[in-house]
Amino acid sequence: MRGKLAAGNWKMNGVAASLAEVESLVLSMGRPTCEVLLCPPATLIHRMSVVASGNIKIGGQDCHAKTTGAHTGDLSAAMLADAGASYVIVGHSERRQDHGETDAVVQSKASAAITEGLVAVICVGETLEDREAERTLDVIAAQLDGSVPDTATAATVVVAYEPVWAIGSGLTPTLEQIGEVHDFIRTNLNARLGTTEGDAIRLLYGGSVKPGNAAEIFAVSNVDGALVGGASLKAADFGPIVDALSNA
Ligand code: PEP
């Protein structure tokens, strides 16, 4: 039985005043049966971990593959852990696009995260062009093979399926399409890592998840939760998504 995870990615949004939303979320969500994670900008990780006071896990949005060194502007997994993070997102499509991150880079970041005791949320997803050319599953397979470390276990890795064209667009794949890709990812992980770990790794769907569509997405096979961008910024939106997952 896999645990469920409602994860929020604040991206480059949020200042100290935004922590009021986290206080509201903690108060409104009661005792969810799912795990709840927020990944704020690095500037807020420590303060958010204090406000969340154990009710919500905190994660980074990226980490460097190295532990220390001459990498101006970067943060290591150890630094994120030191600030209060227990998770880190790696390979988000915005990092892949904006910073040219390859699967090999993503894999090295995931390995660094695991070494430092963080859970790596590894993102994969096709572009609209890929989907229209009917190469979605080929793209996902290549990203999984290249980005997921051989050492991945259910305790150290979460995989997020995030179609690039669904992120921030208000568009979502059909439930059948989500199910097809999640089942494919499960089969791929089982073949690669063995069924003990492959069956236990949590798979998140991400891309325009809102209070209005969360419940139907959480009912899809092999969907163990969501990675939520825009709708994670406000407790009034993220709270109902957490509730939907708790009740799924
Ligand atoms: C994301 O950035 O991971 C994401 C899923 O964004 P949104 O929910 O806004 O589509």
Side-chain angles (χ1 to χ4, degrees), residues 9 11 92 94 162 166-169 206-210 227-231:
N9 172 14
K11 312 192 186 193
H92 191 284
E94 288 154 14
E162 298 208 304
I167 294 176
S169 64
S208 295
V209 176
K210 311 275 180 224
L227 181 54
V228 183

Side-chain angles (χ1 to χ4, degrees), residues 49-94:
S49 70
V50 173
V51 171
S53 60
N55 295 293
I56 295 172
K57 302 273 177 60
I58 307 300
Q61 298 175 9
D62 176 52
C63 67
H64 198 278
K66 298 262 170 59
T67 320
T68 54
H71 303 288
T72 302
D74 282 315
L75 294 169
S76 69
M79 290 169 178
L80 298 177
D82 185 54
S86 52
Y87 281 76
V88 62
I89 299 168
V90 292
H92 191 284
S93 63
E94 288 154 14

Side-chain angles (χ1 to χ4, degrees), residues 151-200:
T151 55
T153 66
T156 59
V157 159
V158 172
V159 174
Y161 167 54
E162 298 208 304
V164 178
W165 53 275
I167 294 176
S169 64
L171 303 172
T172 51
T174 64
L175 300 177
E176 289 72 21
Q177 288 170 329
I178 293 173
E180 179 190 34
V181 177
H182 278 245
D183 290 350
F184 178 79
I185 293 173
R186 179 73 62 212
T187 302
N188 178 295
L189 294 176
N190 278 340
R192 166 110 177 268
L193 305 171
T195 51
T196 304
E197 297 304 332
D199 257 343

Side-chain angles (χ1 to χ4, degrees), residues 26-37:
V26 169
L27 288 175
S28 69
M29 71 184 190
R31 291 176 178 271
T33 60
C34 62
E35 199 173 350
V36 182
L37 164 69

